[in-house]
Amino acid sequence: MKNIVILISGTGSNMAAIVQAARQQKWSERLGARVAAVISNRPDAKGLLFAREQGIATAVVDHTAHASREAFDAALAQAVDAHRPALVALAGFMRVLTPGFVARYAGRLLNIHPSLLPAFAGLHTHQRALDEGCKVAGATVHQVTAQLDHGQILAQAAVPVLPDDTAETLAARVLTQEHLIYPQAIARLLAAQQEAAVRDRTQ
Ligand code: GAR
């Protein structure tokens, strides 16, 4: 079975969407994959409660308990590796990862970002889109590289920006699309990994 490990920092609605898609679309039967663990850098992340209710293993690696980014990432990698992940999905995980951590999971580390990358990497994406007068906004699923919010784009969804939008109303509209494209992108990647494995075996 291929293990998916999801990293969160807060609400975890994207994580919940992935967990629900995995169940509804029978990923374990169709793709040989399951959500094995949810790990948070914040002990109070709401999403941990949902994961526990679903019977998914959870762990907390508190970044405030580590003296450096390197020390935190080493502890995080240990917690992640305990689940032998085929895929690590950042879902509202609000820590910048070191190049060493990113390299360790190269090709199997994904992120969802609330903008149409390469526009608006970084924080406050919705307010920045409103300030620029953007008429569309959206979200991007991408491979994680050492450069923040860069890496191969796997999926995007666009939504209209409405005249009376606030950062909050726009964020809510974008989030509904995030919940669709993140599970889709993960399922596509897992299916591609499965096909590649079959090809390798038959060559
Ligand atoms: C989502 O909008 C996600 O795209 C964003 O945080 C939110 C988390 O919501 N991620 C980032 O800004 C990463 N830089 P969730 O906890 O409900 O999934």
Side-chain angles (χ1 to χ4, degrees):
M1 188 66 70
K2 285 190 204 151
N3 285 343
I4 303 166
V5 172
I6 305 180
L7 305 189
I8 65 168
S9 296
T11 312
S13 70
N14 276 292
M15 174 272 297
I18 295 164
V19 168
Q20 275 152 2
R23 188 185 316 118
Q24 280 159 13
Q25 299 163 16
K26 300 192 188 334
W27 286 6
S28 58
E29 289 162 40
R30 287 184 36 239
L31 300 166
R34 61 168 186 153
V35 178
V38 173
I39 300 175
S40 173
N41 64 307
R42 300 182 66 104
D44 59 351
K46 254 179 63 190
L48 288 170
L49 301 176
F50 172 86
R52 286 187 198 120
E53 276 164 21
Q54 302 297 308
I56 297 169
T58 61
V60 173
V61 183
D62 187 344
H63 65 277
T64 64
H66 294 84
S68 66
R69 247 179 225 291
E70 285 71 22
F72 169 68
D73 278 11
L76 184 62
Q78 201 171 19
V80 170
D81 285 350
H83 300 281
R84 306 174 70 82
L87 203 71
V88 180
L90 309 180
F93 186 70
M94 304 306 279
R95 301 295 303 169
V96 174
L97 295 163
T98 55
F101 185 96
V102 172
R104 187 183 190 87
Y105 303 104
R108 54 190 171 121
L109 183 58
L110 305 187
N111 182 43
I112 187 151
H113 182 76
S115 79
L116 292 171
L117 291 173
F120 307 125
L123 296 174
H124 311 301
T125 54
H126 305 298
Q127 189 56 54
R128 287 158 65 204
L130 292 175
D131 292 347
E132 292 287 349
C134 291
K135 304 303 174 215
V136 290
T140 303
V141 179
H142 64 99
Q143 295 268 9
V144 176
T145 61
Q147 202 183 347
L148 183 69
D149 298 329
H150 278 68
Q152 182 73 36
I153 291 173
L154 302 179
Q156 285 186 312
V159 302
V161 177
L162 302 180
D164 54 355
D165 263 338
T166 62
E168 288 71 31
T169 58
L170 182 55
R173 192 173 311 116
V174 170
L175 195 60
T176 61
Q177 297 304 305
E178 295 186 37
H179 296 163
L180 299 177
I181 63 171
Y182 209 0
Q184 279 169 7
I186 290 173
R188 266 203 308 273
L189 197 73
L190 290 167
Q193 282 180 358
Q194 210 173 31
E195 281 163 28
V198 170
R199 256 199 322 274
D200 284 351
R201 273 203 299 276
T202 54
Q203 266 169 10

